[in-house]
Amino acid sequence: MRRLLLLALALGLVATSLQAAQYSALPDETPAHFVAPTQGMDFEKRDVMIPMRDGAKLHTVILVPKGARHAAMLLTRTPYSASAMASRAASGSLEMVLAGYDNAADIIVQDGYIRVLQDIRGKYASEGDFVMNRPLRGPQNPTPVDESTDTWDTIDWLVKNVPESNGKVGTLGISYDGFEPLMALVNPHPALKVSVPMNPMVDGWRGDDWFHNGAFRQTMLAYILDHQSVRGEGDGWFTNDFDDYASYLSGGSAGDIARAHGMDQLGFWRKIVAHPAYDAFWQDQALDKILAGQPLKVPTMLVHSLWDQEDIYGAMAVYKAIKPKDTGNDKVFLVIGPWHHGQEIGDASSLGAIKFGSDTGLSFRQDVLRPFLARYLKDDAPKVDIAPVTAYQTGTNRWQKLKSWPGCEGACERPLYLGAGSSLSFVEPKDKGSDQYVSDPAKPVPFVPRPVHASGDPWRHWLTTDQRMFSDRTDVLTFTTDVLDAPVAIAGSPVAHLVASTSGTDSDWVVKLIDVYPGQVAAQPEMGGFQLMVAGDIFRGRYRQGLDKPAPIPANTPQEYTFALPTANHVFLPGHRIMVQVQSSWFPLYDRNPQTYVDNIFNAKPADYRRATQTVWHGPGGESRIDLPVVPLGAKAKR
């Protein structure tokens, strides 16, 4: 029986081998390397792997316009797939290929630049390890490589291996892709002639993607999961609710929500949980602080969006850090536009319900970015005077060309006082008083009307959402001026000075500066009574004594909370009113403060979340106010 079984097994193996041999005799119909035809295409595409100094190779797509000679190269390094950026349309036209995804594709193609797109280390087709916002070599990065060295090595290879180039390279990008041009400024390659960081990630704790003044932006959990769970783009985030508000509320703390999605497996998430305060981990990576200590070698144009829902802090922080070194006023340029995150590369004639009367994005690209790039990258470009600051003033809806920013430095600050009877005035109150509300973590204030969708179009323009529905909530305090009989122009960062107490031992404070439109607007009737948030931000109360020094708040004891709101360049017109709203949650964009002090809010338990009575004080000895950077509407000195 044993012999029969062995014989059967042997015959089966022979039959299998014969079948395999018969199948393999059929030729493979897929070529080992398919050569795509180029007839009818106005560019040549080259896929290369560029070696870095540690041996890792980074996937790079080079798009060379047909007939290019002595052309400059524009480089974008990205975690979002170089291949995807170079294949957005089935077309032989380079502009069609890049349109809808690339940064300023129209002027890149029209001016004949060689386009270079690269997957950063550890993403998509590039080798190496991915580290979110990989820090510079130093305390937070013991390896010999970082984004600065990878950019240097890439540029060095490009100028030696792209014969159609003139040896000049510029780098540009938005968001994470905008973080990369800033990293390139650390020990820049000699061939790097210009850098354009647009809406860049700069300081993830102070006011960009991950935190704002210590309050965690928990809707970024999906982003972290997508980008760290796989080398490409993941799809691991799931929800069983149509309304993100309900989904996050039922999930518990931000830590509980992350654990439910398996995020404890992700290195960057573990770092966030381990560093909830502004400690050395975050301070060492703050690019504004890093660049303040670097020589100013490369002309840089920083692009900031007034309603940037993702990175509203970074561009202005870098400008403030490096502009003082620009003694010749010819190395650091600033553009401020009326845009959401990245809107400057697309149609920007409106933002939500706000209309500007012209395509402000097109104006930026054609009138500012185009001559700026040409000035430093083209061999034969005439020198064009570009204003040190190009700023769009909302309210009047006009572009300004300025010598510096902001228009107001300290002496122009004008206090706007919160007062009794929900009043708001430039006149200091004579009587001391207070207003109260109850903040309930079980019913947090939404950041947009429900149902909440923290993605897509609602997310892109949420900062211009009508604030009327929040004015009527009992857990939001509202203070309003009389109707203005003269315009009030502000240019800079309003600063909130909130004197407040809580019955709890921790609290968040949200302050919103709002332009209230007249009851009727003839040119746009639907804007009648609209409440437009001009600037607003959140502050986690435990950090009032120092951003790296969390401490419980003494219950029922007034404390002063001082924090800057995002940059504004706005005119409150006659017939409008100015409003300030104060609240203690902004959900689910920011995680809920339990209002009971715990060492780490990521690990807060259900019993820690408690209602608290919040008191905002005003009048002598306890003036809650907003210091507005007021400038003359027709000022000439800075223009």
Side-chain angles (χ1 to χ4, degrees), residues 206 213 320 493-496 536-539 562-567:
R206 288 297 303 274
N213 297 313
K320 292 174 186 176
S493 179
V495 178
D537 218 337
I538 189 171
F539 185 89
T562 300
F563 57 101
L565 304 184
T567 290

Side-chain angles (χ1 to χ4, degrees), residues 521-584:
V521 177
Q524 195 177 352
E526 66 274 18
M527 294 298 293
F530 196 92
Q531 295 181 7
L532 172 65
M533 182 166 59
V534 174
D537 218 337
I538 189 171
F539 185 89
R540 185 141 283 177
R542 61 173 55 207
Y543 299 113
R544 71 201 180 281
Q545 296 176 344
L547 302 181
D548 60 341
K549 299 178 178 64
I553 299 173
N556 300 309
T557 305
Q559 306 284 302
E560 183 169 352
Y561 304 90
T562 300
F563 57 101
L565 304 184
T567 290
N569 190 34
H570 185 73
V571 177
F572 299 89
L573 297 171
H576 291 228
R577 292 178 295 158
I578 304 174
M579 174 184 287
V580 169
Q581 291 182 359
V582 180
Q583 59 200 56
S584 291

Side-chain angles (χ1 to χ4, degrees), residues 245-293:
Y245 184 101
S247 175
Y248 280 93
L249 189 61
S250 63
S253 70
D256 289 336
I257 296 168
R259 283 185 284 271
H261 285 81
M263 291 182 63
D264 284 349
Q265 303 169 67
L266 309 180
F268 183 63
W269 173 246
R270 293 196 297 269
K271 291 175 183 176
I272 284 181
V273 173
H275 300 280
Y278 196 55
D279 58 14
F281 173 76
W282 298 108
Q283 294 181 37
D284 289 346
Q285 297 183 64
L287 266 176
D288 56 328
K289 298 180 178 66
I290 291 170
L291 293 174

Side-chain angles (χ1 to χ4, degrees), residues 49 177 389 573:
M49 297 294 290
D177 297 357
V389 179
L573 297 171

Side-chain angles (χ1 to χ4, degrees), residues 137-152:
R137 293 169 294 169
Q140 305 301 333
N141 178 5
T143 76
V145 295
D146 53 35
E147 302 296 352
S148 172
T149 66
D150 283 353
T151 306
W152 201 101

Side-chain angles (χ1 to χ4, degrees), residues 410-486:
C412 297
E413 289 182 353
R414 190 176 175 189
L416 187 61
Y417 297 97
L418 281 60
S422 299
S423 66
L424 189 65
S425 174
F426 288 110
V427 179
E428 185 176 359
K430 295 180 180 180
D431 299 321
K432 187 172 183 178
S434 64
D435 290 281
Q436 289 186 340
Y437 62 95
V438 174
S439 174
D440 186 353
K443 299 176 181 179
V445 181
F447 73 98
V448 290
R450 295 182 65 181
V452 174
H453 300 292
S455 61
D457 282 338
W459 168 244
R460 280 188 281 271
H461 55 71
W462 85 263
L463 283 168
T464 59
T465 299
D466 192 344
Q467 299 295 302
R468 266 180 292 199
M469 72 158 288
F470 309 112
S471 303
D472 299 330
R473 287 184 61 117
T474 58
D475 51 1
V476 176
L477 293 181
T478 299
F479 303 86
T480 313
T481 66
D482 293 334
V483 174
L484 299 176
D485 56 10

